[in-house]
Amino acid sequence: MPGKALIFSAPSGSGKTTIVKHLLANNPTLGFSISASTRDKRGRTEMDGKDYYFLTPKDFKKKIDNDEFIEWEEVYAGNFYGTLKSEIQ
């Protein structure tokens, strides 16, 4: 059965994660899509496969070439972000 996607988009540090964590904790029918990024992990708290899929620029570009993203963007010079099709299928 097809579902609906809720997209939270806002500047860094605006509270997206706080809102999403609240919604997930209070709505068991919702799921979370983990984004992919080429940026470095922040500190020791971020984990690959939990917070982001941390990819090398080479691996990210290979996934672009293989049409594995539903969307992607080079947000900062050399730093890519995107949503893998496998996360929403």
Side-chain angles (χ1 to χ4, degrees), residues 11-49:
S12 181
S14 62
K16 297 181 301 289
T17 301
T18 300
I19 293 168
V20 169
K21 284 182 178 180
H22 174 79
L23 290 171
L24 290 170
N26 292 287
N27 296 280
T29 60
L30 295 178
F32 182 73
S33 169
I34 301 168
S35 298
S37 178
T38 60
R39 73 161 175 79
D40 292 333
K41 294 178 192 173
R42 292 181 185 139
R44 296 182 181 181
T45 59
E46 287 190 326
M47 295 174 43
D48 184 54

Side-chain angles (χ1 to χ4, degrees), residues 38-69:
T38 60
R39 73 161 175 79
D40 292 333
K41 294 178 192 173
R42 292 181 185 139
R44 296 182 181 181
T45 59
E46 287 190 326
M47 295 174 43
D48 184 54
K50 179 179 179 282
D51 299 294
Y52 285 91
Y53 293 110
F54 293 100
L55 304 174
T56 66
K58 181 179 177 181
D59 288 340
F60 199 102
K61 290 175 184 176
K62 186 174 182 180
K63 289 182 181 302
I64 292 170
D65 292 341
N66 291 335
D67 195 33
E68 294 182 48
F69 288 100

